Amino acid sequence: MLLSKPLAVAVAMALSTAAFAQSPANADATSSDQNETPEALETLVVTGSNLKGVDLAESQPVVVFSAEDIKESGAQSVTDLISQLSETGGGTGNFSTATSGAKQADSPAGSAGISLRGLGTASTLTLINGRRIASASFANSSQNFVDVNMIPLSAIDRVEILTTGASAIYGADAVAGVVNFVLREDFDGIQGSLSHGESEASSNDARSTANFVWGKSSDTGHALIVADVYQRAALYDRDRASTSIQQPNRSQQGIYPSFSNEFDDYFELVERSCPDAQRHDDSPLPAGDFGEYCEFNRNQFTATDPASRRIGVLGSFGYSFSDSLEWFADVSLGRSESSANSEPAPWDELLDPNHPNLPAELRARFEFDPAEEGLLAFGRFVAPRTVDVDTDAARVLSGLRGKIGDWNWESAFSAARSESEQVASAGIYNVERFRAALFGELCADGSTSCSPGSGGLYYNPFGGAVNNSPELLALLAERVPRAGESKLYSWDAKFDGALGQIGDRDVQWAFGVEARREEIQDSPSPLATADEDGNVPVYGFGSTAASADRNSEALFVESLLPLADTLDLRLAGRYDHYSDFGGDFNPAVSLRWQPNDVYLVRSGWNSSFRAPSLAQVGAGTTLSSGRLPCAPGSEFATTLCGGRTTDQGYNSEVYGNPDLAAESAKAWYLGSVFNLGEDTTLSVDYWNFKQNDLVDIDPLDLFRRALLDPSLVYARDALPRGQVGIETRNGTINSRLSFVQLQLTNVGEQNTDGLDISLTHDWDAGTAGEFRFYTDATWTRSFERSESCDAQAPSTRRGAGACINGQRLVDRTGEFRYPEWLATAGVRWRYGDFSTRLAADYTDSYYDDDQRAGVPAGRKVASWTVLDLNVGWSPSDAHYVALGVRNLFDRDPPSALGSGAGVDLFHHSSMGRFYTMSYEYRY
């Protein structure tokens, strides 16, 4: 019964020709290209193995996007392509530019990272031609990642995704699997292509690409140069009905501030000039937790997809000195320019009770003596926070490969660098100067020593703060820089061949060594970091600080043992040594049993040891933010929330931790491939991952400990910098949260398991053309993550296990952002010079974030199926024209009230119907 829903979905989608194909690395049954021959296997290296010249097809779950798949997908970028892979779903680990912004909690502007199984980018290894590349200069939260947006799509020949762990082959960060981008190599001629896409909405959502390819190959060598340009206009939340509306957990801190007297900060007043539709004061709308307020719609300012421009140049070269010696090299350069923004920064300050612009009606409503008491204001600036990020990336690889007798060998050196510069270009304001301007003490030269009536300038927060001169705002504004650099140097040597026999069958071996040097430096401006007293010089903006380097060396061995004609055993082992975390050995074992041509059985097991990423081990102080869940019935509703029914936002600092331990993991899989006739293939694979000692932060653990230990709670501005704890306005447990200080730590374990199902059927309809029907589905049976807990306070969360030693496992499957089912399926039709692909993506429903205030208990985010169509025509060998339509029926994404945008942008898109026209010329 557990499988009835996914199988029904998968079969129905296949029969109705609904979606896109992912092709395991088996040429006869499941690859998009049908012209592979046994000879091709002599040089093929399958991702997940160091063995060459050995038929490892179907020995492990490997998904392949071939060149034809990429061409017919209609994708304009690597992110477009990877989003069609069901194995990347779940959680927030797989992120794209849709999660970019100017806030510290946002992903770096314009970047995208790949996460398999929802286990995070730090657990997914991204390779180019089987080798590592430098991670992005800026981390995503505390996780390093490879920015796949810097890889030109036109340079890719195929993408191979190993969906099981491979730490024994590639190293510890291949915990969840490997994504290997195989670049184009052999090409003769000149090729150029253009594409332009636009939605049918009235906003400007244009996406354009242009690329040029030149190649020359001969019996002795090859040369290939690729140049690629990509440009995208920004899409804003306000541009779509699904993301422009207010969400239930409205911000009570807006451009029209709320005011209270300094000693009565639990009841606030708002100006009458606040628009009626936004004013909460019981007339017309009920007041909030702290009294009156003028609500604020963040979605009118936030970019769903920020503006971006990228250019990349790749060169691939090779020369054969003889039949037994070849030189090869890759050179790549890339530049990315992105701009992202978030809602205006909040501020919470005292202002002059005799402020000249204080409305008389508002002044009359306060009962206090201006000579003795201050006026407390709680508001926002008008301009959105904006960051501009420029990234330059470079990579050089050079190596030799050859043969000594019957043995192959290969050695290469590579150097890679990613360098980024970020500037907070708008919406960032200086705290000291702004505070002075609230009391009329800001001087025209930017100093703060003036006074009212003697050259002092006032900032006017009243009437929506629109009555401030550009000159005054320029005095308050800051341009906050940030610089990051990531470097990777590596050398490796590999040998493979036959040594020994079992019966009359050769035993295949591979040996290798590897050495790496990694460096990362993330240096924010002092304006975006806290001073020695814990104060940040600007409002609502911060940066990650990190500085670390590491040397590592590895020895690895792999062997394929032909135990019988139908049974192969593959063994692998790798010893890694880190200069900062010592050494560890990780083994792997896999079996392939193929008793006949109808089916085979495959299985494998491996362990891994992941040293914390450089951004984690070298973390300085990160300025961030969070929220305390205060929905009625939540565990904090009557304590830290103080009975308030809206979630309590807070700013925070996160500190590095020199005592971090390495993460460890074990993974295994068991599956079968069935040839159901000459043209039909079905594969089913069960996978299981278990991770321990995850590196992360756990703010809820700090809140729970504070309920038992009041010494963790401090009054505002009283918490010593660098010490873990919580600040509230008056230092009591139920006062409004002011600031939180946290530390990276090993938070516990994470476990997930499920099934991958793939069905492919080819049909030669004669004069009607050739058809391929396919479906791929991923079912996540469980996704458990440990959380801190209090045994005396039972959890209100679904899927929560027993509280044991302060920890409980919570199964997130089917919860917010963890759909149980993801599926793609479809039909491809080729007829003469025409090719057509009709594809669909299915995302299962899941519970909304009903731990968040304002989200009804038990509410679900609806399932979503989107059809895509791509039609191509080749009137001659030199020309190719294609029309792509994404979201063919213009389906709105399902509402997700637990998301600030109102849509879960990790799993859905608010773009709507989108057309892409492309043309390719080859000479």
Side-chain angles (χ1 to χ4, degrees):
M1 294 301 291
L2 284 173
L3 297 183
S4 59
K5 181 178 179 181
L7 285 177
V9 169
V11 173
M13 292 176 74
L15 294 178
S16 63
T17 69
F20 182 73
Q22 301 154 17
S23 308
N26 179 321
D28 294 334
T30 54
S31 175
S32 295
D33 297 320
Q34 296 296 311
N35 58 356
E36 294 187 23
T37 63
E39 286 76 19
L41 291 172
E42 295 303 316
T43 57
L44 180 66
V45 180
V46 177
T47 297
S49 174
N50 289 305
L51 298 169
K52 295 181 181 178
V54 179
D55 184 0
L56 294 175
E58 297 181 331
S59 63
Q60 56 190 342
V62 178
V63 176
V64 175
F65 287 110
S66 69
E68 284 301 306
D69 289 330
I70 296 171
K71 191 173 185 177
E72 295 178 359
S73 71
Q76 290 182 291
S77 67
V78 170
T79 305
D80 291 342
L81 185 67
I82 295 299
S83 67
Q84 301 169 26
L85 180 69
S86 62
E87 287 85 350
T88 61
T92 59
N94 195 70
F95 68 91
S96 69
T97 55
T99 62
S100 295
K103 296 182 293 187
Q104 180 54 40
D106 298 326
S107 60
S111 298
I114 301 176
S115 164
L116 294 172
R117 309 298 187 195
L119 297 178
T121 57
S123 296
T124 301
L125 181 59
T126 302
L127 305 173
I128 291 181
N129 287 346
R131 287 183 168 89
R132 295 168 180 265
I133 56 179
S135 61
S137 312
F138 299 147
N140 182 36
S141 185
S142 66
Q143 291 197 26
N144 288 126
F145 67 96
V146 169
D147 183 6
V148 295
N149 277 345
M150 297 300 292
I151 304 174
L153 187 64
S154 59
I156 298 172
D157 180 66
R158 67 183 185 276
V159 185
E160 299 174 348
I161 303 101
L162 177 66
T163 58
T164 61
S167 295
I169 303 297
Y170 295 109
D173 41 2
V175 175
V178 179
V179 180
N180 184 24
F181 294 93
V182 181
L183 303 181
R184 300 172 69 167
E185 187 173 287
D186 293 330
F187 177 80
D188 273 306
I190 296 174
Q191 177 181 300
S193 64
L194 298 169
S195 74
H196 181 78
E198 182 68 85
S199 77
E200 64 178 40
S202 59
S203 55
N204 175 20
D205 310 312
R207 300 183 181 186
S208 303
T209 64
N211 60 71
F212 170 84
V213 181
W214 173 87
K216 183 69 175 177
S217 62
S218 66
D219 292 339
T220 58
H222 75 272
L224 177 76
I225 296 176
V226 178
D228 186 279
V229 178
Y230 173 87
Q231 182 164 312
R232 181 187 62 211
L235 169 67
Y236 290 89
D237 287 352
R238 61 176 179 263
D239 294 335
R240 297 293 185 270
S242 59
T243 53
S244 65
I245 59 174
Q246 278 278 34
Q247 299 312 310
N249 196 31
R250 297 172 175 87
S251 173
Q252 296 186 23
Q253 187 167 9
I255 292 172
Y256 289 85
S258 297
F259 302 92
S260 67
N261 97 35
E262 184 179 2
F263 302 109
D264 186 19
D265 61 356
Y266 285 100
F267 188 80
E268 297 171 345
L269 303 177
V270 69
E271 298 172 75
R272 296 299 186 194
S273 59
C274 168
D276 286 348
Q278 301 172 27
R279 189 174 68 247
H280 290 250
D281 61 355
D282 292 322
S283 175
L285 302 172
D289 295 333
F290 296 95
E292 300 175 8
Y293 70 96
C294 190
E295 72 182 33
F296 177 76
N297 187 354
R298 301 179 182 92
N299 298 0
Q300 294 300 309
F301 299 88
T302 305
T304 314
D305 269 318
S308 183
R309 183 178 359 179
R310 299 191 291 270
I311 183 169
V313 179
L314 170 86
S316 177
F317 310 96
Y319 182 78
S320 296
F321 298 100
S322 66
D323 291 341
S324 59
L325 183 61
E326 177 188 359
W327 169 76
F328 59 94
D330 292 334
V331 179
S332 62
L333 299 170
R335 180 171 177 83
S336 170
E337 299 174 355
S338 299
S339 180
N341 67 296
S342 302
E343 73 273 10
W347 54 269
D348 184 359
E349 296 291 349
L350 285 169
L351 58 81
D352 187 352
N354 295 305
H355 196 293
N357 301 112
L358 177 62
E361 185 274 340
L362 183 61
R363 183 189 300 273
R365 296 174 66 197
F366 286 103
E367 296 179 0
F368 73 109
D369 182 354
E372 297 182 1
E373 300 178 70
L375 187 62
L376 185 65
F378 185 65
R380 286 183 186 270
F381 296 100
V382 176
R385 286 166 282 184
T386 303
V387 294
D388 300 323
V389 178
D390 296 340
T391 297
D392 293 295
R395 177 175 180 262
V396 177
L397 179 142
S398 181
L400 294 170
R401 64 169 65 101
K403 297 185 66 113
I404 301 177
D406 293 331
W407 281 72
N408 303 302
W409 64 271
E410 180 176 306
S411 181
F413 171 83
S414 69
R417 186 186 72 172
S418 174
E419 187 174 16
S420 297
E421 292 185 358
Q422 173 182 288
V423 175
S425 57
I428 308 301
Y429 298 98
N430 183 279
V431 172
E432 180 185 2
R433 294 198 292 270
F434 180 72
R435 287 174 176 170
L438 290 175
F439 282 84
E441 298 171 352
L442 179 65
C443 304
D445 62 359
S447 62
T448 58
S449 58
C450 293
S451 60
S454 299
L457 303 176
Y458 272 101
Y459 176 87
N460 182 1
F462 305 99
V466 296
N467 297 312
N468 291 291
S469 69
E471 292 78 12
L472 174 65
L473 294 176
L475 290 175
L476 300 176
E478 292 282 8
R479 288 180 60 86
V480 184
R482 176 187 179 190
E485 187 175 40
S486 172
K487 297 179 182 179
L488 172 68
Y489 305 96
S490 68
W491 170 81
D492 62 67
K494 305 174 185 179
F495 306 85
D496 72 278
L499 181 63
Q501 290 187 321
I502 297 179
D504 59 352
R505 295 176 296 276
D506 290 334
V507 177
Q508 301 293 327
W509 292 87
F511 305 90
V513 295
E514 182 180 336
R516 297 197 309 272
R517 167 75 176 176
E518 299 170 87
E519 302 175 8
I520 192 166
Q521 189 77 33
D522 190 346
S523 304
S525 163
L527 290 169
T529 56
D531 61 23
E532 59 183 14
D533 297 320
N535 300 315
V536 182
V538 295
Y539 288 100
F541 186 76
S543 295
T544 300
S547 178
D549 56 68
R550 165 184 293 158
N551 296 325
S552 59
E553 301 83 30
L555 299 171
F556 51 88
V557 61
E558 183 180 357
S559 179
L560 181 68
L561 307 175
L563 302 181
D565 290 339
T566 60
L567 180 65
D568 294 335
L569 170 66
R570 190 157 60 99
L571 300 175
R574 181 182 177 106
Y575 177 79
D576 289 276
H577 183 272
Y578 299 89
S579 57
D580 50 354
F581 274 86
D584 192 69
F585 175 77
N586 290 285
V589 57
S590 62
L591 282 167
R592 179 180 63 171
W593 178 51
Q594 187 171 3
N596 50 50
D597 293 334
V598 176
Y599 71 93
L600 66 83
V601 177
R602 57 193 180 194
S603 65
W605 173 93
N606 69 86
S607 69
S608 66
F609 163 94
R610 192 189 78 83
S613 62
L614 290 183
Q616 293 170 334
V617 72
T621 298
T622 297
L623 301 180
S624 188
S625 60
R627 65 177 182 86
L628 178 69
C630 290
S634 72
E635 60 180 303
F636 304 109
T638 60
T639 52
L640 281 164
C641 296
R644 296 177 288 275
T645 58
T646 55
D647 293 347
Q648 302 302 297
Y650 58 84
N651 291 323
S652 64
E653 286 187 359
V654 180
Y655 306 123
N657 185 351
D659 298 323
L660 287 175
E663 298 177 357
S664 62
K666 291 181 173 59
W668 64 278
Y669 67 91
L670 174 64
S672 293
V673 179
F674 303 90
N675 292 317
L676 307 176
E678 184 177 351
D679 300 312
T680 305
T681 301
L682 170 68
S683 65
V684 180
D685 289 282
Y686 171 80
W687 42 269
N688 186 297
F689 295 87
K690 293 184 179 296
Q691 293 179 281
N692 293 300
D693 294 323
L694 295 174
V695 177
D696 206 342
I697 59 171
D698 189 353
L700 295 186
D701 174 58
L702 175 59
F703 295 141
R704 293 182 184 111
R705 288 192 289 124
L707 296 179
L708 303 175
D709 183 4
S711 68
L712 292 171
V713 181
Y714 293 78
R716 186 176 180 178
D717 297 328
L719 176 59
R721 190 177 183 220
Q723 181 173 316
V724 172
I726 300 168
E727 284 186 357
T728 66
R729 277 198 175 180
N730 61 17
T732 63
I733 199 72
N734 61 354
S735 177
R736 177 186 281 183
L737 284 175
S738 176
F739 201 73
V740 176
Q741 294 178 181
L742 301 158
Q743 186 179 45
L744 284 170
T745 186
N746 295 98
V747 298
E749 63 180 288
Q750 183 170 262
N751 310 316
T752 183
D753 70 326
L755 286 177
D756 290 334
I757 304 168
S758 177
L759 176 65
T760 305
H761 175 68
D762 293 320
W763 175 37
D764 188 345
T767 58
E770 299 177 348
F771 292 84
R772 164 165 285 189
F773 303 90
Y774 36 76
T775 186
D776 292 84
T778 294
W779 172 51
T780 302
R781 191 189 75 88
S782 70
F783 193 105
E784 297 178 328
R785 187 178 174 99
S786 61
E787 297 182 356
S788 60
C789 60
D790 178 1
Q792 305 304 315
S795 175
T796 59
R797 296 188 57 176
R798 286 176 295 270
C803 185
I804 302 174
N805 297 325
Q807 293 277 315
R808 66 158 52 94
L809 284 173
V810 177
D811 188 356
R812 300 184 177 185
T813 310
E815 295 297 308
F816 187 54
R817 289 187 168 138
Y818 287 86
E820 187 176 353
W821 290 93
L822 295 168
T824 62
V827 60
R828 186 188 68 197
W829 175 47
R830 290 180 175 172
Y831 178 77
D833 299 328
F834 291 89
S835 62
T836 302
R837 170 173 284 177
L838 179 65
D841 292 301
Y842 169 80
T843 303
D844 200 6
S845 64
Y846 48 88
Y847 284 103
D848 210 337
D849 187 5
D850 55 13
Q851 296 295 303
R852 190 163 184 161
V855 181
R859 184 186 187 275
K860 281 202 166 185
V861 177
S863 62
W864 200 46
T865 302
V866 179
L867 289 174
D868 300 329
L869 176 67
N870 197 77
V871 180
W873 176 43
S874 297
S876 69
D877 291 341
H879 302 277
Y880 176 77
V881 180
L883 171 65
V885 186
R886 304 194 75 175
N887 196 349
L888 184 63
F889 295 116
D890 198 24
R891 290 201 60 195
D892 287 335
S895 172
L897 301 182
S899 168
V903 169
D904 177 7
L905 296 174
F906 285 94
H907 295 96
H908 308 121
S909 171
S910 62
M911 177 63 78
R913 187 183 290 124
F914 191 87
Y915 299 92
T916 302
M917 192 73 182
S918 60
Y919 169 73
E920 178 183 292
Y921 174 77
R922 180 169 178 171
Y923 175 75

